[in-house]
Amino acid sequence: MSMNLRNVLLFAAMGALLVAVGVIQSANVALAILNLCLISAIMTLGVNIQWGYAGLFNAGVMGFAALGGLAAVVVSFPAVPQAWAVGGPRAMLGLATGVCAIALAIVAWKRMPGSRRLRGWAAAGVALAGIAVMRLVIDPAVEAIEAVEPAKTGFLGGLGLPIVLSWVVGGALAALAAWAIGKIALGLRSDYLAIATLGISEIIIYFLKNEEWMARGVKNVNGLPRPVPYEIDLQQTLWVQDLAARLDFNVIELSSIIVKLCYAGLFVVALAVIFWLSERALKSPWGRMMRAIRDNETAASAMGKDVTWRHLQVFVLGSAVIGLAGAMLTTLDGIFTPTSYQPLRFTFLIWVMVIVGGSGNNLGSILGGFVIWFFWIEAEPIGLTLIEFLTSGMAQDSALRLHLIENAAHTRLATMGVVLLLVLRFSPRGLIPEREK
Amino acid sequence: MTAVTDILNALALLSNFVLVPGLAYGSQLALGALGVTMVYAVLRFSNFAHGETMSFGAMITILVTWWLQGKGVNFGPLPTALLALPIGIIGTVLMCLLFDRFIYRYYRRQKAAPVTYLIVSVGILFILSGVVRFVIGPQDRMFADGERFILKARAFKEMTGLDQGLAIKTSQGVTVVTAVIIVALLFWFLNRTRTGKSMRAYSDNEDLALLSGISPARVVAITWIITGALAAVAGTLYGLDKGYKPFTYLGLVLPIFASAIVGGVGNPLGAIAGGFVIALSELLLTFAYKRVIAYLTPGDWVPDGLVQLLATDYKLAVSFVILVIVLLVKPTGMFSGKTL
């Protein structure tokens, strides 16, 4: 019971911090932090499924989150009929050719008679020829699509469906990528998975930056449709104006708060569902088996468990959750910017959240996501204040002082590193440790 | 006669755009991969912070270079950074030893799993990237001075009478020469000296080495000294050649790991070979062969497209694809090494 009390107190303290920001800075800032805390918590749950349940190190969180973002664009953005007319079918045919080439290469590798070496060369030959054919098919289509009003569209657009659907699609897309990478890297030494996932995530980002026909690349996709009302519309409605008058609040600010609250409501529902499912999985026989594999692979495989297959399963599941969170993030932003995906922010920061929260404990992951995101944002004003205070004795225009103030924002990176190392050293089980059975 | 000139022109073109930059980039990757491989062979973990260690070394070198330039010191035609490099090496080595003493040593005594070290290295990655950005800022920094070229394209054309120029930048020459010296020193140390042999013994079989009276603390310290020095040199050379920007060094981790794995993690010879394999295949696969083919085919025929296998933007994908192929076909790498 005391454990439960401790958890309640930790979450209450976190809530108090957010309220404090609401009072000191503004309610809008606090809610903006809260929304990203919720998304971070879901990403952290995803990584916890891989690391906490099964001990797999995924260094490609960024890539899976970006695939979720791509899904948000593809599902929600209205189609661009002109672009479809000039190159849509041909581009799809090109994609299909690429998929067929890969499938054929795999078949050649697996099914062809002959020595390993021969099959290897055959597979490589098939893959290269397939890529050449794909380029022949797809290149003119890409050129045509990107030439359609390049300043406004220049891409195929999406399906024009409600953006919330993309959360599921993003999860599926990330799961697919995870399956491919897991097939290659699982079953080898543990750091190979880390390096392979690091690689795939960088390549996904390069792909999204360069394939403009798909999601405009570095030109970004603006104005994704929202699942919640727009501020402007809210400001016109009577009940908002009425409420603002009664609370003595600025209408513009109130509308923005309402929008953020709507998002928060959606995110809380998603977080609750994923948390419930994760807990169910962890407590089920499947969860016990995963932990058994994590704690002693040799013993588990001697008991007849297919370790590699189970690892693949859990890796795909965790990545799907990360992809879902990625789609949610793009939904919240309303804009898809491939350049914003940085490994420090999207991969390694999530890792700090998992470790600080408590690996293996879902509640801990949620808390870790909240705490670390809060300090990631608030470290900047805190660091700036601290440096201004420390250097207040120097001359106003001292070069050192100006340099320190200008670069104060970067202290948060170092702070995160120090926090991670301190937790690992002095409290390696995190804020809310895994429950012993 | 024209046929021979055409072939020579094609060769000059390839050398200018593939061979020379490939050798320089390959040397930088090889030095980086050597650092990763040394840590792996002795301390048995993948050091994700190695890219930032390189960045840290380059940063110190740049700061000292600016100070020297401010004092009016220069190194003639060579970049001043070479004079500053020893200080950069010392700074990086001290940093590595400090981190080992206060962070890694604890986990060594705990006999922690390799993946714990990996997470620790992520913590160090954060600290280093914060420190570097805090001290020198996130902007681009140019610090190369001295002569820009060893061989200018025009001089080459006049010398040989070919249409195609071949230019060699000073930074490229300096990179290759420095890499050769460093690698020679490293191999001499590992194979000829008593300490080097004890390191190889430790990496090969820890328990046996302990029984033979080899001090693990000493071996670990020397490993960090070598790793720090290699990282500082690699980081500085990369910065000289391509311009220093803190952000790019995190991205270097992937090709560096790919080089180390392709060659066989833990095998120094493999790290060097891997570096060149990755660098040259990146350039060969993203090079536009249009003009080369135009020279090699008779008549005035010129291909329509660029004849480029992969868009230049996908350079990074090349190292990844090679990594994947090696993982699938021969996970132990070309030299199947595990030991020094």
Side-chain angles (χ1 to χ4, degrees):
Chain A
M1 271 301 103
S2 73
M3 200 63 214
N4 276 341
L5 185 68
R6 200 181 110 98
N7 294 351
V8 170
L9 283 178
L10 281 170
F11 273 99
M14 186 62 233
L17 280 177
L18 281 170
V19 171
V21 167
V23 174
I24 298 171
Q25 289 181 292
S26 80
N28 252 318
V29 174
L31 282 173
I33 296 179
L34 172 72
N35 278 334
L36 278 161
C37 280
L38 288 165
I39 293 174
S40 304
I42 296 181
M43 276 193 199
T44 313
L45 277 176
V47 176
N48 184 46
I49 291 174
Q50 298 171 337
W51 167 247
Y53 293 16
L56 300 176
F57 192 96
N58 175 1
V61 180
M62 170 178 79
F64 298 116
L67 282 178
L70 173 69
V73 173
V74 170
V75 168
S76 75
F77 207 84
V80 180
Q82 237 183 316
W84 272 100
V86 294
R90 191 161 177 162
M92 291 300 124
L93 186 69
L95 275 189
T97 327
V99 172
C100 286
I102 294 171
L104 273 177
I106 293 173
V107 169
W109 170 246
K110 289 233 160 111
R111 294 285 149 81
M112 233 178 71
S115 71
R116 217 174 121 80
R117 180 169 298 230
L118 185 74
R119 285 180 302 146
W121 285 113
V126 169
L128 275 181
I131 288 172
V133 174
M134 182 183 92
R135 293 274 311 256
L136 274 181
V137 176
I138 211 169
D139 279 357
V142 167
E143 214 164 290
I145 291 168
E146 287 175 2
V148 178
E149 284 192 86
K152 267 167 69 192
T153 54
F155 77 126
L156 281 177
L159 304 169
L161 297 169
I163 196 163
V164 177
L165 261 181
S166 75
W167 299 3
V168 181
V169 178
L173 216 57
L176 209 66
W179 182 78
I181 197 76
K183 272 302 229 190
I184 295 167
L186 286 169
L188 296 169
R189 226 182 39 217
S190 65
D191 3 13
Y192 282 178
L193 179 70
I195 293 159
T197 44
L198 183 78
I200 192 81
S201 71
E202 295 278 1
I203 286 166
I204 289 172
I205 303 300
Y206 266 65
F207 181 76
L208 293 177
K209 277 185 193 163
N210 289 304
E211 300 302 315
E212 290 185 0
W213 61 279
M214 208 175 226
R216 297 199 80 211
V218 285
K219 292 194 283 183
N220 306 337
V221 182
N222 292 311
L224 294 175
R226 276 186 182 181
V228 299
Y230 284 84
E231 284 90 345
I232 304 261
D233 299 337
L234 279 178
Q235 285 156 24
Q236 310 296 325
T237 53
L238 272 178
W239 69 269
V240 175
Q241 289 168 354
D242 203 35
L243 193 66
R246 204 176 304 162
L247 294 172
D248 198 16
F249 236 69
N250 185 339
V251 182
I252 295 172
E253 210 182 319
L254 184 70
S255 65
S256 152
I257 289 177
I258 294 174
V259 168
K260 290 202 173 74
L261 279 174
C262 291
Y263 274 120
L266 279 176
F267 294 164
V268 166
V269 171
L271 177 62
V273 169
I274 290 170
F275 174 69
W276 183 74
L277 288 173
S278 310
E279 278 292 290
R280 283 297 298 267
L282 188 64
K283 283 177 184 150
S284 68
W286 180 84
R288 283 197 295 279
M289 175 187 65
M290 288 318 307
R291 287 200 303 275
I293 292 177
R294 177 195 68 188
D295 292 338
N296 193 335
E297 273 184 33
T298 324
S301 83
M303 298 296 288
K305 304 297 176 203
D306 186 345
V307 174
T308 308
W309 159 237
R310 294 299 171 184
H311 275 169
L312 185 62
Q313 220 175 25
V314 83
F315 185 64
V316 167
L317 275 177
S319 300
V321 173
I322 299 168
L324 187 145
M328 289 169 60
L329 182 67
T330 306
T331 307
L332 176 67
D333 290 343
I335 171 172
F336 179 60
T337 42
T339 43
S340 69
Y341 291 94
Q342 306 284 343
L344 278 176
R345 149 78 180 90
F346 275 92
T347 298
F348 298 120
L349 191 67
I350 306 296
W351 269 94
V352 179
M353 293 172 181
V354 176
I355 303 289
V356 169
S359 17
N361 190 312
N362 291 319
L363 217 51
S365 296
I366 296 178
L367 184 66
F370 270 74
V371 171
I372 294 301
W373 183 261
F374 181 84
F375 283 107
W376 177 253
I377 295 300
E378 290 295 319
E380 214 172 309
I382 294 172
L384 195 62
T385 323
L386 200 67
I387 284 180
E388 274 180 347
F389 173 72
L390 288 177
T391 58
S392 54
M394 294 185 200
Q396 279 301 313
D397 54 350
S398 137
L400 180 65
R401 178 167 192 265
L402 292 178
H403 174 88
L404 288 177
I405 289 177
E406 188 191 337
N407 287 322
H410 303 296
T411 46
R412 68 179 182 180
L413 290 171
T415 316
M416 286 304 144
V418 171
V419 168
L420 176 64
L421 290 176
L422 286 178
V423 169
L424 263 183
R425 173 75 169 264
F426 297 107
S427 169
R429 290 150 53 82
L431 286 172
I432 306 183
E434 188 182 357
R435 272 158 295 182
E436 302 283 350
K437 290 278 156 50
Chain B
M1 207 46 227
T2 48
V4 177
T5 340
D6 276 352
I7 291 173
L8 285 178
N9 268 324
L11 279 179
L13 192 64
L14 268 179
S15 307
N16 195 25
F17 289 103
V18 177
L19 194 64
V20 172
L23 282 179
Y25 182 43
S27 311
Q28 291 149 10
L29 283 186
L31 288 175
L34 272 174
V36 164
T37 247
M38 293 289 294
V39 171
Y40 186 83
V42 176
L43 304 160
R44 301 197 158 72
F45 73 97
S46 307
N47 184 8
F48 268 53
H50 195 75
E52 296 304 310
T53 314
M54 284 165 56
S55 169
F56 183 84
M59 176 193 77
I60 296 191
T61 311
I62 291 172
L63 293 178
V64 177
T65 308
W66 285 345
W67 180 75
L68 286 175
Q69 285 168 345
K71 293 262 169 210
V73 179
N74 66 57
F75 200 10
L78 294 174
T80 316
L82 285 182
L83 288 178
L85 188 56
I87 314 270
I89 292 177
I90 292 172
T92 316
V93 165
L94 284 179
M95 186 270 291
C96 285
L97 289 175
L98 216 67
F99 276 136
D100 185 70
R101 167 64 187 77
F102 290 106
I103 299 166
Y104 286 120
R105 193 176 77 168
Y106 171 80
Y107 297 97
R108 219 161 29 244
R109 293 197 171 159
Q110 302 271 305
K111 298 223 174 298
V115 72
T116 310
Y117 285 98
L118 212 159
I119 298 174
V120 171
S121 79
V122 168
I124 291 176
L125 161 77
F126 264 108
I127 294 182
L128 283 179
S129 57
V131 167
V132 166
R133 283 163 177 76
F134 187 69
V135 174
I136 202 168
Q139 307 90 328
D140 278 331
R141 301 287 182 185
M142 294 305 287
F143 61 106
D145 52 6
E147 278 303 321
R148 244 176 81 67
F149 288 99
I150 295 174
L151 178 63
K152 284 189 181 149
R154 180 178 294 171
F156 178 83
K157 283 187 203 167
E158 279 165 9
M159 240 160 50
T160 55
L162 293 175
D163 295 338
Q164 286 302 326
L166 171 64
I168 302 178
K169 286 198 289 180
T170 313
S171 59
Q172 292 167 333
V174 165
T175 297
V176 175
V177 172
T178 317
V180 168
I181 294 173
I182 297 276
V183 168
L185 277 176
L186 180 68
F187 277 83
W188 170 79
F189 172 77
L190 287 176
N191 294 322
R192 293 273 182 268
T193 64
R194 209 179 149 73
T195 321
K197 284 179 188 167
S198 71
M199 275 181 70
R200 282 165 54 215
Y202 183 86
S203 140
D204 206 21
N205 186 335
E206 208 176 315
D207 296 328
L208 203 59
L210 288 179
L211 281 176
S212 330
I214 290 170
S215 149
R218 204 170 111 89
V219 169
V220 169
I222 290 169
T223 308
W224 280 117
I225 292 173
I226 295 175
T227 308
L230 284 169
V233 174
T236 305
L237 292 178
Y238 186 82
L240 265 182
D241 196 18
K242 310 232 159 93
Y244 175 81
K245 193 176 187 187
F247 167 73
T248 50
Y249 282 80
L250 189 57
L252 268 182
V253 171
L254 179 66
I256 284 179
F257 270 116
S259 310
I261 292 178
V262 167
V265 198
N267 184 325
L269 209 61
I272 296 167
F276 287 106
V277 167
I278 297 280
L280 286 174
S281 19
E282 266 189 19
L283 290 165
L284 281 173
L285 287 174
T286 55
F287 180 66
Y289 289 93
K290 179 177 183 164
R291 286 191 295 163
V292 174
I293 293 179
Y295 276 121
L296 292 183
T297 44
D300 291 334
W301 183 75
V302 175
D304 286 335
L306 288 171
V307 201
Q308 189 179 16
L309 291 173
L310 263 178
T312 324
D313 304 313
Y314 285 113
K315 262 188 188 164
L316 201 76
V318 176
S319 50
F320 180 72
V321 169
I322 296 176
L323 174 71
V324 165
I325 292 172
V326 169
L327 287 186
L328 285 174
V329 179
K330 197 158 184 261
T332 46
M334 299 188 308
F335 288 77
S336 25
K338 271 269 155 57
T339 54
L340 270 179

